[in-house]
Amino acid sequence: AQSVTQPDIHITVSEGASLELRCNYSYGATPYLFWYVQSPGQGLQLLLKYFSGDTLVQGIKGFEAEFKRSQSSFNLRKPSVHWSDAAEYFCAVGAHLSGTYKYIFGTGTRLKVLA
Amino acid sequence: SAVISQKPSRDICQRGTSLTIQCQVDSQVTMMFWYRQQPGQSLTLIATANQGSEATYESGFVIDKFPISRPNLTFSTLTVSNMSPEDSSIYLCSVEGQGRSPLHFGNGTRLTVT
């Protein structure tokens, strides 16, 4: 079955440190890939997306993600984390499933940033 | 990207009652979806709100419990009917524009059922 896996439920980093959040997907073809961030009490904000082309995509707030077809991964990175980055991060896949186009979300990674 | 207004932002309701959540978009959009996010969980698609026809529900969700309206290309409502404490969740409206653009979300409705 198609799925999106975020293996890290919680991650804690110090402010200024680098960050990598992992995402793996299971799907026969290359889907559309997304990262969203959800701050407490808020909806989801799109950080970046991958449709095709360059496998390293840049997003808002200094985030980037790299699509690796061989690993079915789309990991999110940031070179230097700010305290305001503390939030929940969701990886998502857009793909054709059972004849319709759907979005599947991972279970999320909660990021805590230490001052 | 589309600006999505969702109302109410939160509510506390008694079991057995119903709540209607409104979603207004500032531009016409092709697809509108309703998601549920239970505490500490990821997003689960409830249904696709189809303009001018009945919504398409995902497995485990039924029209009697979650009736949806979509009278035009900018507005939709989701009703949570005959609520129980298990319905306590965040309900999110989302939209997709033309050509498989990413989903954009409203700020959600935080529902608590007592």
Side-chain angles (χ1 to χ4, degrees), chain B residues 6-112:
Chain B
Q6 196 172 327
K7 295 192 296 186
S9 59
R10 57 177 64 232
D11 208 339
I12 301 173
C13 300
Q14 302 262 351
R15 70 174 67 207
T17 63
S18 298
L19 176 71
T20 295
I21 302 167
Q22 298 180 0
C23 179
Q24 178 74 54
V25 189
D26 69 342
S27 59
Q28 293 186 341
V29 292
T30 308
M31 306 292 286
M32 293 182 77
F33 306 93
W34 287 97
Y35 283 84
R36 182 174 73 182
Q37 185 180 22
Q38 293 179 300
Q41 307 272 324
S42 186
L43 282 74
T44 301
L45 180 63
I46 297 171
T48 302
N50 300 309
Q51 193 267 325
S53 64
E54 193 171 283
T56 304
Y57 289 85
E58 297 299 304
S59 176
F61 298 96
V62 295
I63 188 171
D64 290 345
K65 176 67 176 178
F66 297 101
I68 288 171
S69 78
R70 189 170 175 198
N72 55 53
L73 292 176
T74 64
F75 185 78
S76 178
T77 67
L78 168 74
T79 299
V80 186
S81 303
N82 188 25
M83 289 184 284
S84 67
E86 292 71 34
D87 294 320
S88 297
S89 287
I90 299 173
Y91 292 86
L92 292 152
C93 170
S94 68
V95 305
E96 181 193 54
Q98 300 289 339
R100 295 286 178 254
S101 63
L103 285 182
H104 295 279
F105 287 85
N107 281 337
T109 296
R110 184 179 294 273
L111 171 61
T112 302

Side-chain angles (χ1 to χ4, degrees), chain A residues 13-18 80-84 112-115:
Chain A
V13 299
S14 298
E15 191 171 18
S18 63
S80 178
V81 170
H82 188 263
W83 64 267
S84 61
K112 181 177 180 179
V113 180
L114 301 177

